[in-house]
Amino acid sequence: MKRQKAIAFVLACVMILPIMTACGPQKSNDPSESSATESASTANALTPGTYTASAKGYGGDLELSVSVDETKITNIEVLKSSETEGIGGEALKTLPGDVIESQSLGIEAVSGATMTSTAFLTALTDCLTQAGADVDEWKARPVEKEVSSDPVEKETDVVVVGGGGAGLSAAISAAQNGAKVILIEKTAALGGNTVRAGGPYNAVDPARQKNVPAADQASMDKIAALLEKETKSPEHQALKDQLQKDLDEYNAGTKDYLFDSIALHKLQTYDGGDYVGNLTLIEKLVDESLPTSEWMAENGVVWKDAITTVPGGLWPRAHLPQNAAGADYIAAGKATAEKLGVEILYNAPAKELILENGAVCGVKGTLDGAPLTIKAKSVVLATGGFAGNKEMRQQYVPALNDKLPTTNAPSIQGDGIVLGLSAGANLVGMEYIQSLPLGNAKTGALNGWMGGAGVEYYYQINQEGKRFMAEDGRRDVMTAALIAQTDSMSYVITSADNTLDYKEDGINIWGDNVEELVKNGEIFKADTIEDLAAQIGVDPAVLKETHDNFNSYVEAGNDPEFGRTLFGKPLTTPPFFASKRVPTVHHTMGGLEINKSCEVLNLEGAVIPGLFAAGEVTGGIHGANRLGGNALVDIHVFGRTAGQTASNFALGK
């Protein structure tokens, strides 16, 4: 294969070393020039040794150990890192080798892990400065990469576009069904938004929920209120009838365990989305949530026994993976996909769909910059939503200004929606975009706080030290309440009673080191509520009153101020924690219209042959507002189905 060297020069190199960059090193008989060259060599010499330095990464401090001899870097070791597994953690596997190979500080950031890459280069630069390096010269050194100039052409049964949770589920399902599968991912690592998620997965699970205490009367009254809502269709009435039957059966028994039912989960999802969700898709989501969790366990996901309530989830039915984070899903999915023979291509963005006689039969894009063509019998789009695309967000919801941060990965740009449109796909629900009241104040992401394991374990206060909402409500309602507060900012208050988040290993559910977060001032820790208040600039007397009132509501199972009904234990065990949180754009409920077989539909409602989709790239499932904990069900239930039906189509089954 023919290859060419693509050599990138930093502009500063041209300005600082015009003769060298224009002509390269030149031999000369002039003694003065020879002397100058030797002086430059001496000036660029390093002091041999091993140096350490740290810099702030995505998950906390990133510490490096760098060894050098007189002329080059000989070894780079990551001494400490709290970077997200599958994103920053994946980048740290490649960055040291890239630097040692190039002997340059001019390497590119790893796509999707910019903050980790920047921290790595900052710490590395510090180490080289300690070693006496001319840092500007190291930054100006050209980085040589071998890039193929030849087009890459492949054939397969199914090509999956996108390597997050939906894409991996589709690839695994298709491979298990006997299809040859290629998965292409636009960035250098798998994960998408899934790897950034806290991990809650809603499923009605009688075996686990038998061990959860019964809900209080206020919570049961909320269920009864669903039965009084206006009936939208015969299918809706059937669900209400089933819920009434389930309640009658529960009330006739011991009532010493948590009530839940399939009908309740469906009705909460339908009602929570303001009755604009597709009820057929909602029923599939809920009916297959528990069986799909069991399928995921077969594919390597290890579930905790505990059941909790994710913020905005409305009921205790959220399952958590072993490490309580979305990275668990990606790690298990990747291992299973590779074991099944799925070919995974990184740095491979899809640019267009291949269409023949109205059917989709492949994709075109690039692979490490080289032209890529994959002929396939079916294509699954699993590229995520568009919350990371500020222009597209504002196109559909002008009120979402470009100053609002997002929890989404930078790569989540609506690519699959654009691809689907090129094949004539219909879009539904694009005007429904969900924000969260729980974004990281610096980045908008979901990490960097204490409390995320479940809404039972915290409350939120404004800058005046007072609660301002029911923390177990709908996400859109809670976000609106937060925006109305001073500076649209709050603190989440929790304590050591939150044992799901405050664990013995010192790592919270996002993979953050709690003590590092405290050290860096991202969260605050104190042995008393009064001291905590002083640290965050709140009147201690006001926060103490708020705290005591909240604990009394927990004990009584009743919140007379805001009507909260979901409670855990009182927050009485020190240390106490406060985490700063802001509104952040989180989830796009709109996207490509699909049927329950995950076939993409056109403007007339007809199936586009060969085109399938799953996950946040699709629309219509969640309606105007998504319940917390339903997204990870969505991507796995519909990802699994997309892989099955796409492979059936490809194999003629």
Side-chain angles (χ1 to χ4, degrees), residues 399-606:
L400 288 176
N401 64 69
D402 58 10
K403 299 294 191 295
L404 284 173
T406 179
T407 62
N408 282 216
S411 59
I412 306 300
Q413 295 289 317
D415 306 36
I417 292 172
V418 175
L419 288 171
L421 285 174
S422 71
N426 189 43
L427 301 182
V428 291
M430 295 293 284
E431 69 273 29
Y432 302 129
I433 299 178
Q434 181 181 81
S435 294
L436 271 179
L438 294 166
N440 185 305
K442 293 182 179 179
T443 67
L446 286 175
N447 73 324
W449 64 300
M450 282 288 292
V455 71
E456 296 96 335
Y457 302 101
Y458 68 81
Y459 61 89
Q460 278 178 272
I461 61 168
N462 55 24
Q463 291 189 65
E464 291 70 45
K466 298 180 179 181
R467 288 177 64 227
F468 55 91
M469 65 177 182
E471 295 86 354
D472 61 349
R474 284 173 41 149
R475 290 179 167 182
D476 52 352
V477 174
M478 292 190 293
T479 302
L482 175 55
I483 290 173
Q485 304 308 305
T486 303
D487 297 330
S488 299
M489 189 275 285
S490 74
Y491 287 100
V492 169
I493 308 297
T494 189
S495 73
D497 297 287
N498 179 359
T499 54
L500 283 178
D501 214 19
Y502 189 55
K503 299 178 288 188
E504 291 182 3
D505 61 6
I507 305 299
N508 69 6
I509 69 166
W510 312 102
D512 304 322
N513 184 297
V514 174
E515 293 306 318
E516 284 293 322
L517 293 175
V518 174
K519 175 184 174 184
N520 295 330
E522 293 190 53
I523 64 175
F524 300 87
K525 176 183 177 183
D527 287 333
T528 68
I529 281 294
E530 292 88 346
D531 184 21
L532 190 68
Q535 290 187 40
I536 62 176
V538 168
D539 185 331
V542 173
L543 183 56
K544 182 67 164 62
E545 182 180 9
T546 298
H547 187 76
D548 290 346
N549 285 342
F550 175 78
N551 280 335
S552 72
Y553 303 159
V554 175
E555 293 281 9
N558 178 51
D559 173 10
E561 287 187 89
F562 301 102
R564 171 172 167 163
T565 60
L566 293 176
F567 299 102
K569 299 177 181 178
L571 303 177
T572 58
T573 306
F576 301 96
F577 298 91
S579 307
K580 190 175 182 179
R581 296 283 101 178
V582 299
T584 183
V585 182
H586 183 52
H587 190 97
T588 50
M589 277 73 75
L592 305 175
E593 185 177 11
I594 59 170
N595 59 23
K596 66 178 183 179
S597 297
C598 293
E599 297 168 303
V600 177
L601 307 180
N602 65 17
L603 298 176
E604 289 73 41

Side-chain angles (χ1 to χ4, degrees), residues 199-235:
Y201 178 104
N202 286 339
V204 177
D205 188 339
R208 283 181 170 88
Q209 290 172 309
K210 282 281 187 182
N211 300 317
V212 178
D216 57 47
Q217 190 57 49
S219 296
M220 297 302 289
D221 289 344
K222 284 184 178 180
I223 291 177
L226 291 171
L227 300 173
E228 304 303 319
K229 296 294 180 76
E230 177 187 352
T231 300
K232 306 297 182 181
S233 66
E235 292 78 13

Side-chain angles (χ1 to χ4, degrees), residues 8 10 13 44 71 102-104 106 136-143:
V10 177
C13 183
N44 292 334
T71 61
S102 66
Q103 293 295 315
S104 172
D136 287 336
E137 189 272 333
W138 274 77
K139 289 180 179 178
R141 290 182 181 184
V143 178

Side-chain angles (χ1 to χ4, degrees), residues 146-157:
E146 289 191 348
V147 179
S148 172
S149 61
D150 296 332
V152 179
E153 297 184 355
K154 294 177 175 288
E155 289 190 14
T156 190
D157 295 322

Side-chain angles (χ1 to χ4, degrees), residues 47-231:
T47 302
T50 298
Y51 304 87
T52 60
S54 63
K56 181 68 172 65
Y58 180 81
D61 283 347
L62 173 64
E63 186 174 352
L64 298 183
S65 169
V66 180
S67 299
V68 303
D69 61 20
E70 291 86 351
T71 61
K72 64 183 183 296
I73 298 172
T74 58
N75 186 59
I76 301 174
E77 182 180 354
V78 179
L79 298 179
K80 183 173 72 172
S81 168
S82 298
E83 301 305 276
T84 305
E85 190 60 37
I87 306 177
E90 197 69 23
L92 292 176
K93 295 176 184 177
T94 62
L95 286 168
D98 290 346
V99 170
I100 291 173
E101 181 181 358
S102 66
Q103 293 295 315
S104 172
L105 288 174
I107 63 169
E108 294 182 356
V110 174
S111 177
T114 305
M115 289 184 66
T116 301
S117 302
T118 300
F120 174 87
L121 288 171
T122 300
L124 176 60
T125 299
D126 189 338
C127 289
L128 287 176
T129 300
Q130 295 176 52
D134 180 343
V135 170
D136 287 336
E137 189 272 333
W138 274 77
K139 289 180 179 178
R141 290 182 181 184
V143 178
E144 299 183 357
K145 291 184 179 181
E146 289 191 348
V147 179
S148 172
S149 61
D150 296 332
V152 179
E153 297 184 355
K154 294 177 175 288
E155 289 190 14
T156 190
D157 295 322
V158 178
V159 59
V160 178
V161 183
L168 280 169
S169 291
I172 290 168
S173 178
Q176 289 175 338
N177 197 36
K180 179 182 178 183
V181 183
I182 296 176
L183 183 150
I184 60 174
E185 165 56 41
K186 68 185 283 188
T187 72
L190 298 175
N193 276 344
T194 306
V195 79
R196 291 170 172 249
Y201 178 104
N202 286 339
V204 177
D205 188 339
R208 283 181 170 88
Q209 290 172 309
K210 282 281 187 182
N211 300 317
V212 178
D216 57 47
Q217 190 57 49
S219 296
M220 297 302 289
D221 289 344
K222 284 184 178 180
I223 291 177
L226 291 171
L227 300 173
E228 304 303 319
K229 296 294 180 76
E230 177 187 352
T231 300

Side-chain angles (χ1 to χ4, degrees), residues 237-257:
Q237 184 61 54
L239 285 178
K240 291 164 67 175
D241 292 343
Q242 182 61 54
L243 177 58
Q244 184 63 70
K245 181 179 178 181
D246 295 339
L247 282 168
D248 291 343
E249 182 177 332
Y250 175 80
N251 288 325
T254 59
K255 296 193 294 184
D256 57 356
Y257 60 92

